Short mmCIF file of all heavy atoms in Angstrom, two decimals:
data_model
loop_
_atom_site.label_atom_id
_atom_site.label_comp_id
_atom_site.label_asym_id
_atom_site.label_seq_id
_atom_site.Cartn_x
_atom_site.Cartn_y
_atom_site.Cartn_z
N CYS A 290 2.45 -9.83 -25.32
CA CYS A 290 1.81 -10.96 -25.99
C CYS A 290 2.78 -12.10 -26.11
O CYS A 290 3.99 -11.88 -26.18
CB CYS A 290 1.38 -10.48 -27.33
SG CYS A 290 0.25 -9.10 -27.26
N ARG A 291 2.20 -13.32 -26.26
CA ARG A 291 3.09 -14.43 -26.41
C ARG A 291 2.79 -14.97 -27.87
O ARG A 291 1.59 -14.93 -28.23
CB ARG A 291 2.64 -15.55 -25.44
CG ARG A 291 2.82 -15.10 -24.02
CD ARG A 291 4.31 -14.81 -23.65
NE ARG A 291 4.45 -14.30 -22.26
CZ ARG A 291 4.61 -14.97 -21.18
NH1 ARG A 291 4.58 -16.17 -21.19
NH2 ARG A 291 4.72 -14.32 -19.96
N ARG A 292 3.76 -15.53 -28.70
CA ARG A 292 3.52 -16.06 -29.95
C ARG A 292 3.67 -17.48 -29.99
O ARG A 292 4.00 -18.07 -30.93
CB ARG A 292 4.47 -15.34 -30.88
CG ARG A 292 4.19 -13.82 -31.11
CD ARG A 292 5.25 -13.33 -31.98
NE ARG A 292 5.17 -11.89 -32.13
CZ ARG A 292 4.66 -11.34 -33.35
NH1 ARG A 292 4.12 -12.16 -34.23
NH2 ARG A 292 4.54 -10.03 -33.44
N ARG A 293 3.47 -18.15 -28.85
CA ARG A 293 3.66 -19.69 -28.81
C ARG A 293 2.44 -20.38 -29.44
O ARG A 293 1.30 -19.73 -29.55
CB ARG A 293 3.84 -20.15 -27.46
CG ARG A 293 5.20 -19.65 -26.88
CD ARG A 293 5.36 -20.23 -25.44
NE ARG A 293 4.46 -19.66 -24.46
CZ ARG A 293 4.47 -19.96 -23.22
NH1 ARG A 293 5.38 -20.78 -22.78
NH2 ARG A 293 3.62 -19.41 -22.45
N HIS A 294 2.57 -21.54 -29.79
CA HIS A 294 1.45 -22.43 -30.26
C HIS A 294 0.85 -21.93 -31.51
O HIS A 294 -0.36 -22.05 -31.67
CB HIS A 294 0.45 -22.73 -29.25
CG HIS A 294 1.02 -23.39 -27.99
ND1 HIS A 294 1.30 -24.74 -28.09
CD2 HIS A 294 1.29 -22.99 -26.79
CE1 HIS A 294 1.78 -25.06 -26.81
NE2 HIS A 294 1.75 -23.99 -26.08
N ILE A 295 1.54 -21.27 -32.39
CA ILE A 295 0.99 -20.83 -33.76
C ILE A 295 1.08 -22.03 -34.66
O ILE A 295 2.22 -22.46 -34.97
CB ILE A 295 1.78 -19.57 -34.26
CG1 ILE A 295 1.68 -18.53 -33.30
CG2 ILE A 295 1.31 -19.29 -35.64
CD1 ILE A 295 2.50 -17.19 -33.67
N LYS A 296 -0.09 -22.53 -35.02
CA LYS A 296 -0.19 -23.70 -35.98
C LYS A 296 -0.30 -23.30 -37.43
O LYS A 296 -0.82 -22.19 -37.71
CB LYS A 296 -1.28 -24.56 -35.60
CG LYS A 296 -1.23 -25.09 -34.19
CD LYS A 296 -2.47 -25.85 -33.72
CE LYS A 296 -2.24 -26.36 -32.30
NZ LYS A 296 -3.58 -27.18 -31.86
N TRP A 297 0.26 -23.99 -38.31
CA TRP A 297 0.16 -23.74 -39.77
C TRP A 297 -1.16 -24.18 -40.30
O TRP A 297 -1.67 -25.24 -40.10
CB TRP A 297 1.31 -24.44 -40.45
CG TRP A 297 1.16 -24.43 -41.93
CD1 TRP A 297 0.64 -25.53 -42.80
CD2 TRP A 297 1.45 -23.32 -42.82
NE1 TRP A 297 0.63 -25.08 -44.05
CE2 TRP A 297 1.02 -23.78 -44.11
CE3 TRP A 297 1.83 -22.08 -42.56
CZ2 TRP A 297 1.22 -22.97 -45.20
CZ3 TRP A 297 1.95 -21.24 -43.71
CH2 TRP A 297 1.70 -21.69 -44.94
N VAL A 298 -1.84 -23.17 -40.95
CA VAL A 298 -3.12 -23.54 -41.68
C VAL A 298 -2.84 -23.18 -43.07
O VAL A 298 -2.62 -22.07 -43.50
CB VAL A 298 -4.30 -22.66 -41.07
CG1 VAL A 298 -5.58 -22.93 -41.94
CG2 VAL A 298 -4.48 -22.81 -39.68
N PRO A 299 -2.90 -24.23 -44.01
CA PRO A 299 -2.56 -24.04 -45.39
C PRO A 299 -3.36 -23.01 -46.11
O PRO A 299 -2.84 -22.38 -47.02
CB PRO A 299 -2.89 -25.56 -46.03
CG PRO A 299 -2.75 -26.46 -44.81
CD PRO A 299 -3.21 -25.64 -43.63
N SER A 300 -4.73 -22.86 -45.67
CA SER A 300 -5.48 -21.91 -46.57
C SER A 300 -5.18 -20.47 -46.21
O SER A 300 -5.82 -19.54 -46.74
CB SER A 300 -6.92 -22.25 -46.21
OG SER A 300 -7.21 -22.11 -44.89
N VAL A 301 -4.40 -20.20 -45.18
CA VAL A 301 -4.06 -18.89 -44.71
C VAL A 301 -2.61 -18.64 -44.80
O VAL A 301 -1.76 -19.47 -44.38
CB VAL A 301 -4.58 -18.61 -43.23
CG1 VAL A 301 -4.32 -17.18 -42.85
CG2 VAL A 301 -6.09 -18.92 -43.08
N SER A 302 -2.18 -17.51 -45.32
CA SER A 302 -0.66 -17.20 -45.38
C SER A 302 -0.19 -17.14 -44.00
O SER A 302 -0.86 -16.73 -42.95
CB SER A 302 -0.44 -15.86 -46.07
OG SER A 302 -0.73 -14.88 -45.30
N SER A 303 0.98 -17.58 -43.78
CA SER A 303 1.58 -17.63 -42.39
C SER A 303 1.67 -16.27 -41.79
O SER A 303 1.49 -16.13 -40.58
CB SER A 303 3.05 -18.23 -42.41
OG SER A 303 3.91 -17.46 -43.25
N ALA A 304 1.95 -15.25 -42.56
CA ALA A 304 2.06 -13.90 -41.97
C ALA A 304 0.71 -13.45 -41.46
O ALA A 304 0.61 -12.91 -40.35
CB ALA A 304 2.54 -12.85 -43.08
N ASN A 305 -0.43 -13.67 -42.27
CA ASN A 305 -1.70 -13.37 -41.83
C ASN A 305 -2.21 -14.07 -40.56
O ASN A 305 -2.80 -13.63 -39.68
CB ASN A 305 -2.76 -13.50 -42.88
CG ASN A 305 -2.62 -12.46 -44.04
OD1 ASN A 305 -1.89 -11.51 -43.77
ND2 ASN A 305 -3.15 -12.81 -45.08
N LEU A 306 -1.78 -15.36 -40.50
CA LEU A 306 -2.22 -16.21 -39.39
C LEU A 306 -1.40 -15.75 -38.18
O LEU A 306 -2.09 -15.62 -37.02
CB LEU A 306 -1.84 -17.62 -39.71
CG LEU A 306 -2.03 -18.63 -38.56
CD1 LEU A 306 -3.56 -18.77 -38.31
CD2 LEU A 306 -1.40 -20.01 -38.82
N GLU A 307 -0.11 -15.49 -38.29
CA GLU A 307 0.61 -15.10 -37.14
C GLU A 307 0.02 -13.73 -36.62
O GLU A 307 -0.16 -13.64 -35.30
CB GLU A 307 2.02 -14.88 -37.45
CG GLU A 307 2.94 -14.46 -36.35
CD GLU A 307 4.33 -14.44 -36.58
OE1 GLU A 307 4.71 -15.10 -37.66
OE2 GLU A 307 5.23 -13.93 -35.76
N GLN A 308 -0.36 -12.88 -37.52
CA GLN A 308 -0.86 -11.57 -37.05
C GLN A 308 -2.25 -11.69 -36.31
O GLN A 308 -2.54 -11.13 -35.39
CB GLN A 308 -1.12 -10.62 -38.29
CG GLN A 308 -1.54 -9.34 -37.95
CD GLN A 308 -0.63 -8.46 -37.07
OE1 GLN A 308 0.47 -8.74 -36.93
NE2 GLN A 308 -1.27 -7.54 -36.38
N SER A 309 -3.13 -12.63 -36.92
CA SER A 309 -4.44 -12.85 -36.27
C SER A 309 -4.31 -13.45 -34.93
O SER A 309 -4.97 -13.10 -33.95
CB SER A 309 -5.34 -13.67 -37.19
OG SER A 309 -4.77 -15.05 -37.29
N LEU A 310 -3.34 -14.45 -34.75
CA LEU A 310 -3.31 -15.14 -33.46
C LEU A 310 -2.60 -14.03 -32.45
O LEU A 310 -2.95 -13.98 -31.25
CB LEU A 310 -2.38 -16.27 -33.56
CG LEU A 310 -3.11 -17.53 -34.16
CD1 LEU A 310 -2.09 -18.70 -34.18
CD2 LEU A 310 -4.25 -17.94 -33.34
N PHE A 311 -1.66 -13.28 -32.97
CA PHE A 311 -1.04 -12.12 -32.17
C PHE A 311 -2.04 -11.26 -31.57
O PHE A 311 -2.09 -10.91 -30.39
CB PHE A 311 -0.03 -11.50 -33.03
CG PHE A 311 0.77 -10.42 -32.17
CD1 PHE A 311 1.79 -10.80 -31.32
CD2 PHE A 311 0.57 -9.09 -32.46
CE1 PHE A 311 2.46 -9.77 -30.69
CE2 PHE A 311 1.17 -8.10 -31.72
CZ PHE A 311 2.19 -8.47 -30.91
N GLN A 312 -3.02 -10.87 -32.49
CA GLN A 312 -3.99 -9.95 -31.84
C GLN A 312 -4.94 -10.60 -30.84
O GLN A 312 -5.41 -10.03 -29.99
CB GLN A 312 -4.82 -9.45 -33.16
CG GLN A 312 -4.05 -8.51 -34.08
CD GLN A 312 -4.85 -8.07 -35.28
OE1 GLN A 312 -5.75 -8.74 -35.65
NE2 GLN A 312 -4.38 -7.02 -35.91
N THR A 313 -5.20 -11.98 -31.15
CA THR A 313 -6.12 -12.66 -30.17
C THR A 313 -5.58 -12.62 -28.81
O THR A 313 -6.18 -12.33 -27.83
CB THR A 313 -6.33 -14.09 -30.75
OG1 THR A 313 -6.88 -14.05 -32.05
CG2 THR A 313 -7.26 -14.86 -29.80
N PHE A 314 -4.13 -12.86 -28.73
CA PHE A 314 -3.50 -12.86 -27.49
C PHE A 314 -3.65 -11.47 -26.78
O PHE A 314 -3.82 -11.35 -25.63
CB PHE A 314 -2.04 -13.14 -27.56
CG PHE A 314 -1.68 -14.48 -28.12
CD1 PHE A 314 -0.48 -14.87 -28.36
CD2 PHE A 314 -2.78 -15.46 -28.27
CE1 PHE A 314 -0.16 -16.18 -28.91
CE2 PHE A 314 -2.46 -16.81 -28.69
CZ PHE A 314 -1.12 -17.13 -29.09
N CYS A 315 -3.52 -10.47 -27.64
CA CYS A 315 -3.43 -9.02 -27.11
C CYS A 315 -4.75 -8.45 -26.66
O CYS A 315 -4.82 -7.62 -25.89
CB CYS A 315 -2.79 -8.13 -28.22
SG CYS A 315 -1.07 -7.97 -28.08
N LEU A 316 -5.83 -9.00 -27.15
CA LEU A 316 -7.22 -8.52 -27.03
C LEU A 316 -7.60 -8.49 -25.57
O LEU A 316 -8.44 -7.79 -25.07
CB LEU A 316 -8.25 -9.27 -27.84
CG LEU A 316 -8.46 -8.86 -29.15
CD1 LEU A 316 -9.32 -9.80 -29.95
CD2 LEU A 316 -8.96 -7.52 -29.39
N GLY A 413 -2.82 -19.65 -26.03
CA GLY A 413 -3.35 -18.92 -27.27
C GLY A 413 -4.81 -18.99 -27.45
O GLY A 413 -5.29 -18.74 -28.52
#
Side-chain angles (χ1 to χ4, degrees):
C290 305
R291 307 291 173 94
R292 292 176 181 260
R293 292 183 293 182
H294 298 289
I295 294 175
K296 297 177 182 178
W297 168 255
V298 178
S300 61
V301 183
S302 74
S303 58
N305 287 343
L306 177 64
E307 184 170 344
Q308 181 65 21
S309 67
L310 285 180
F311 180 76
Q312 288 175 340
T313 301
F314 295 174
C315 273
L316 278 174

